[in-house]
Amino acid sequence: MVKVAGFPHRKELKDFDFDFQPKLNKQQFMDFASLRFIENNSNIILLGNSGVGKTHLATSIGIAAARKRVSTYFIKCHDLIIQLKRAHLENRLETRIKHYTKYRVLIIDEIGYLPIGEQEAKMFFQLIDKRYEKKSTIITSNINLSDWSEIFVDNMIASAILDRLVHHSSIVNILGNSFRTASALSK
């Protein structure tokens, strides 16, 4: 299950340097790794600047789920949008949305790094709506939730997406320095 999940790396929670991000509640992430959030069909939203560990943490939770034989899939937001757009052009959008809806845990990484057009935002909404209260979604973003209308162009679509994502979710704002920048500067 770990191999087919599409993780960008095999970093686990034990590999995360909580000392580097001391404002994070380590116990909260241990609870996420217990997978209780999946039982409740809850979501996890990780927000913060580039390099603070959002993808590492999301992947760690996903690996914990996959190891427990929970169907899990990791995808970058841009890749997801491209796949939904292609499916729409090929008249198989509904099938593609069903594909992503089948996973008990869907990790959508890097929302906000690249703009999303109005048509793509509507497709993204359809996916989130299908998963709402049925499956768990983990989101990472460098954009505050209050600014998501800038990502999705349309304020109404952004509000509808957020409404469904945050309803049953844990939102973690990761404040701190970039691991990558600190590593590069130490060399």
Side-chain angles (χ1 to χ4, degrees), residues 103-133:
Y103 295 102
R104 291 279 292 137
V105 177
L106 178 64
I107 302 168
I108 305 172
D109 191 38
E110 296 183 343
I111 291 180
Y113 282 88
L114 296 170
I116 298 171
E118 186 177 347
Q119 184 65 33
E120 291 85 0
K122 289 177 182 176
M123 291 184 273
F124 187 85
F125 166 77
Q126 290 175 60
L127 172 62
I128 297 303
D129 187 53
K130 289 267 192 212
R131 295 182 61 79
Y132 176 61
E133 293 189 323

Side-chain angles (χ1 to χ4, degrees), residues 16-91:
F16 190 82
D17 186 357
F18 282 94
D19 291 333
F20 188 80
Q21 300 295 9
K23 293 180 183 172
L24 278 182
N25 181 345
K26 183 177 181 177
Q27 193 53 46
Q28 181 180 34
F29 284 91
M30 299 307 278
D31 183 56
F32 292 154
S34 78
L35 310 180
R36 205 162 39 103
F37 75 100
I38 298 171
E39 296 167 21
N40 302 322
N41 297 319
S42 297
N43 303 318
I44 299 171
I45 301 172
L46 304 176
L47 303 170
N49 291 329
S50 181
V52 296
K54 301 179 301 293
T55 301
H56 181 151
L57 292 166
T59 299
S60 298
I61 298 163
I63 288 172
R67 286 216 165 115
K68 295 283 186 180
R69 315 255 339 125
V70 174
S71 61
T72 305
Y73 193 73
F74 178 101
I75 190 165
K76 299 278 185 192
C77 182
H78 182 69
D79 295 334
L80 173 65
I81 296 300
I82 288 171
Q83 289 193 24
L84 293 176
K85 195 173 176 179
R86 183 179 306 133
H88 175 71
L89 292 171
E90 296 171 355
N91 289 321

Side-chain angles (χ1 to χ4, degrees), residues 47-49 141-149 151 162 173 175:
L47 303 170
N49 291 329
S141 180
N142 65 328
I143 305 291
N144 287 326
L145 298 180
S146 59
D147 298 326
W148 273 32
S149 59
I151 301 169
L162 277 172
N173 227 328
L175 305 171

